[in-house]
Amino acid sequence: MASGDWQRKLVDWLRGRQGPDDLAVFAINLAVVLVVVNLFARTSWLAWVGLALVAYGAFRIQSKNLGARSRENEAFLKALGPARPWVQNPRAAWGELRHYKHARCASCKQRVRVPRGKGKLRVTCPRCGSKFEVRS
Ligand SMILES: [Zn+2]
């Protein structure tokens, strides 16, 4: 069987199903981490938790109840809070951390993003217009 044929079959099968959303990908990645940890820790329960996470991820991917899965995914992303970019796109989150620094306006608490390594910067808050200095 040609690989293109296989891909088309997979696309056909995924039609009308949830597919790999953030929560499914997270569950499966976490399972991989647990299995790797288990190679060293050698506990039996860790392997079972990993297996359960893979099963849960697979269940989400093949699920046809899109409404419920989508709500769960949204709740999951909301629960992540500030960790959300690290789960959704770790490479972009790492780039963000390397190239930018986040400062908070002293008067209105608005978060402002400044480039790193530019010395002392004079920042004008985009929300309240007050000026303050940031070491970048
Ligand atoms: Zn402000």
Side-chain angles (χ1 to χ4, degrees), residues 35-105:
V35 167
V36 170
V37 168
N38 194 46
L39 288 178
F40 302 98
R42 296 214 170 272
T43 63
S44 60
W45 65 270
L46 216 50
W48 284 110
V49 172
L51 198 65
L53 282 168
V54 169
Y56 181 62
F59 157 74
R60 292 192 64 80
I61 289 168
Q62 64 76 46
S63 174
K64 287 185 170 179
N65 187 351
L66 300 187
R69 296 297 88 76
S70 163
R71 276 194 301 279
E72 289 159 9
N73 196 50
E74 275 310 305
F76 166 68
L77 289 175
K78 214 172 160 187
L80 286 174
R84 180 177 177 159
W86 289 98
V87 170
Q88 281 191 305
N89 192 344
R91 187 180 290 187
W94 176 241
E96 175 79 18
L97 191 70
R98 269 185 59 201
H99 299 297
Y100 298 98
K101 186 175 180 175
H102 292 97
R104 212 169 269 283
C105 170

